Amino acid sequence: MSSIRNGREEQNCCCDLLFHQFDPAGTPRGGAGNIPHKASRQGVAGPPPAPSPPPAMSSSRKDHLGASSSEPLPVIIVGNGPSGICLSYLLSGYTPYVKPDAVHPHPLLQRKLTEAPGVSILDQDLDYLSEGLEGRSQSPVALLFDALLRPDTDFGGNMKSVLTWKHQEEHAIPHVVLGRNLPGGAWHSIEGSMVTLSQGQWMGLPDLEVKDWMQKKRRGLRNSRATAGDIAHYYRDYVVKKGLGHNFVSGAVVTAVEWGTPNPNSCGAQDSSPLFQVSGFLSRDQGRQPFSLWARNVVLATGTFDSPARLGIPGEALPFIHHELSALEAATRVGALTPASDPVLIIGAGLSAADAILYARHYNIPVIHAFRRAVDDPGLVFNQLPKMLYPEYHKVHQMMREQSILSPSPYEGYRSLPGHRLLCFKEDCQAVFQDLKGVEKVFEVSLVLVLIGSHPDLSFLPGAGADFAVDPDQPLSTKRNPIDVDPFTYQSTRQEGLYAMGPLAGDNFVRFVQGGALAVASSLLRKETRKPP
């Protein structure tokens, strides 16, 4: 996308934004004694001693990863979306090298790449290589890996990657990837006909381009974009094609991550580094099967799809208040909402709210649209998207601008409430607002959608992960207050051995989460190299 302000794209819970697409006819296409440790805000705290690991891992690990032992795993990855898949690929011995005859269009980067011929990118100084690069991410390693994979994509080019990949099993690090869904994570929970906002080519993972995969599947891109269904299938297929399946455990729900310093006499206590215990359960047909695994490093890659943001006002728990677009779809499908119904109240000024408006308009359901920002606010996502590429969203923006609740109606069945603050909901399906002048207004509604973003669910960490944020005194937010990590290793600045990547570390697009995987893999490989025999 060419017209992005300050090098940033609008961010969404699934790394890359989605929208419903309609065809011309109007049819949607659419703990065994381990003491929990709370991290210090001043740095790495001295954790209490942890007991020895149990003599054997749980049966779940045996089922998926073969015979278990008392030796802790080097790495556990929590989350099996694009971030976790990419990291698993790098930890499985797939190693990136610069092609001998490659010439990168960035002169400074090209000069640096020629200084260490035949040396894997994972073994080079990522800080040095990424210095001087600019782009649409705040992460220098994300910009570096993106530049190596897609050298001129921001200039409209389609130059091939300057990297070649070698499978070197001697560089592989044993690991396990735990995820609730199938490999691909939250992409399997999104309605398959929805279309990615990012270009299809930016959704791919290393050494398997989306367009090549889709050609083999006899699928095509829509205006350079892919459907969520195709992308979910691609990620699942990627794990199979790259031989990563034995590392993945689906249906795994992590309920606790605890850590401490190993007892010097225990198995696996090779140094004073922390030892992590990851506990949870497997969802199976026969019920829940508990598991408990031990590891020297834990990587958080859970994304931010888990917990919709809430207004925190009286009445928000009433049954007609919802926080997901699927509630509108379900109510329409069963006939609970019709053109004769009281309006649907949609709260929010992002693309999820726009999706809901487009959906309701398609079925002629009346809409009241409330948002606190001004329509001409430069931070509003509609002011950052090219009109030619996203006409549906700019139509919504035009409606927001022209159809105030107080003005005549060029858009029948739609009213906007710019600059209004929602005070409360009442049991008789009423919403009470306050306008900019302090005047209260009451509206009768049939259903309410609160679509104001989402937050990651890190309830399995002490304090739900808040102590690890850039500002520990503020709520954890992938946009405004992500986990504080070293920019070149993605290791937490407050807890050794704990890593975060993807949206949790502020990388909100598949295109850029791969740089986090590169940084984590490089750091872990260096640790393994330094580990005593």
Side-chain angles (χ1 to χ4, degrees), residues 511-529:
R511 174 183 173 187
F512 296 122
V513 302
Q514 299 170 63
L518 180 73
V520 174
S522 177
S523 173
L524 292 172
L525 283 165
R526 293 175 191 276
K527 284 186 178 182
E528 288 296 301
T529 301

Side-chain angles (χ1 to χ4, degrees), residues 118-148:
V119 179
S120 161
I121 296 297
L122 288 168
D123 294 326
Q124 296 193 41
D125 186 341
L126 301 183
D127 187 351
Y128 174 68
L129 288 179
S130 60
E131 184 180 8
L133 296 178
E134 297 180 349
R136 300 178 184 177
S137 172
Q138 303 300 313
S139 165
V141 182
L143 292 175
L144 170 64
F145 205 25
D146 185 61
L148 296 173

Side-chain angles (χ1 to χ4, degrees), residues 61-122:
R61 170 147 165 73
K62 290 182 180 179
D63 291 342
H64 293 85
L65 300 175
S68 63
S69 72
S70 58
E71 174 71 14
L73 281 164
V75 186
I76 291 177
I77 303 168
V78 183
N80 65 353
S83 300
I85 296 173
C86 186
L87 180 55
S88 179
Y89 178 72
L90 295 170
L91 296 183
S92 296
Y94 290 95
T95 310
Y97 292 85
V98 177
K99 296 174 182 176
D101 57 346
V103 178
H104 198 282
H106 192 292
L108 178 59
L109 179 57
Q110 169 62 19
R111 178 178 63 78
K112 292 178 180 179
L113 292 174
T114 61
E115 294 173 358
V119 179
S120 161
I121 296 297
L122 288 168

Side-chain angles (χ1 to χ4, degrees), residues 220-494:
L221 298 174
R222 299 179 183 177
N223 192 26
S224 299
R225 283 156 179 83
T227 66
D230 283 335
I231 294 302
H233 188 187
Y234 165 84
Y235 292 142
R236 187 178 180 184
D237 211 28
Y238 185 93
V239 169
V240 174
K241 287 182 176 296
K242 298 301 182 181
L244 311 178
H246 64 284
N247 298 318
F248 283 73
V249 182
S250 297
V253 178
V254 174
T255 57
V257 175
E258 303 167 329
W259 59 91
T261 302
N263 189 324
N265 298 320
S266 67
C267 284
Q270 298 168 327
D271 54 37
S272 59
S273 300
L275 188 63
F276 293 83
Q277 184 181 21
V278 179
S279 305
F281 60 87
L282 292 173
S283 295
R284 294 292 183 259
D285 292 338
Q286 60 270 38
R288 294 182 174 183
Q289 300 177 9
F291 67 81
S292 182
L293 302 174
W294 296 79
R296 292 192 291 271
N297 300 277
V298 169
V299 182
L300 306 176
T302 57
T304 180
F305 192 67
D306 298 300
S307 180
R310 299 179 181 272
L311 295 165
I313 63 172
E316 193 170 3
L318 289 170
F320 64 96
I321 316 297
H322 302 274
H323 298 80
E324 295 179 354
L325 175 58
S326 58
L328 175 61
E329 297 170 338
T332 304
R333 189 163 53 246
V334 301
L337 287 176
T338 70
S341 301
D342 285 332
V344 171
L345 173 59
I346 297 172
I347 301 167
L351 299 185
S352 294
D355 286 337
I357 293 167
L358 291 170
Y359 187 90
R361 293 280 292 172
H362 172 68
Y363 289 102
N364 296 316
I365 297 169
V367 171
I368 295 176
H369 182 201
F371 47 96
R372 296 188 63 176
R373 288 189 176 190
V375 178
D376 56 355
D377 188 326
L380 206 63
V381 61
F382 306 104
N383 292 317
Q384 303 178 29
L385 297 177
K387 292 183 179 181
M388 294 296 292
L389 291 178
Y390 308 102
E392 295 91 349
Y393 286 141
H394 280 278
K395 183 64 176 180
V396 173
H397 191 208
Q398 182 181 359
M399 292 163 61
M400 292 166 62
R401 183 185 304 277
E402 297 181 5
Q403 187 47 58
S404 168
I405 193 71
L406 300 177
S407 63
S409 177
Y411 304 106
E412 185 177 356
Y414 173 88
R415 293 289 186 275
S416 69
L417 299 176
H420 281 59
R421 185 166 70 96
L422 189 56
L423 301 178
C424 67
F425 299 108
K426 295 185 177 182
E427 291 186 2
D428 51 354
C429 292
Q430 289 185 334
V432 182
F433 286 88
Q434 185 180 68
D435 67 13
L436 291 173
K437 297 180 180 179
V439 178
E440 290 190 6
K441 300 175 183 178
V442 180
F443 297 94
E444 302 279 347
V445 298
S446 58
L447 181 143
V448 177
L449 289 178
V450 181
L451 302 173
I452 55 174
S454 60
H455 300 299
D457 180 7
L458 298 180
S459 57
F460 53 82
L461 288 178
D467 286 346
F468 301 103
V470 173
D471 184 350
D473 296 322
Q474 297 296 321
L476 184 68
S477 167
T478 58
K479 292 182 181 180
R480 303 172 186 86
N481 194 30
I483 292 178
D484 193 13
V485 297
D486 181 285
F488 302 103
T489 67
Y490 278 58
Q491 185 170 226
S492 166
T493 60
R494 297 185 175 91

Side-chain angles (χ1 to χ4, degrees), residues 199-240:
Q199 295 184 30
Q201 63 178 345
W202 293 349
M203 306 300 296
L205 298 177
D207 202 31
L208 181 60
E209 292 193 17
V210 169
K211 64 178 181 179
D212 295 339
W213 177 87
M214 294 191 72
Q215 285 177 356
K216 291 182 179 180
K217 297 294 181 180
R218 297 184 179 180
R219 301 282 295 168
L221 298 174
R222 299 179 183 177
N223 192 26
S224 299
R225 283 156 179 83
T227 66
D230 283 335
I231 294 302
H233 188 187
Y234 165 84
Y235 292 142
R236 187 178 180 184
D237 211 28
Y238 185 93
V239 169
V240 174

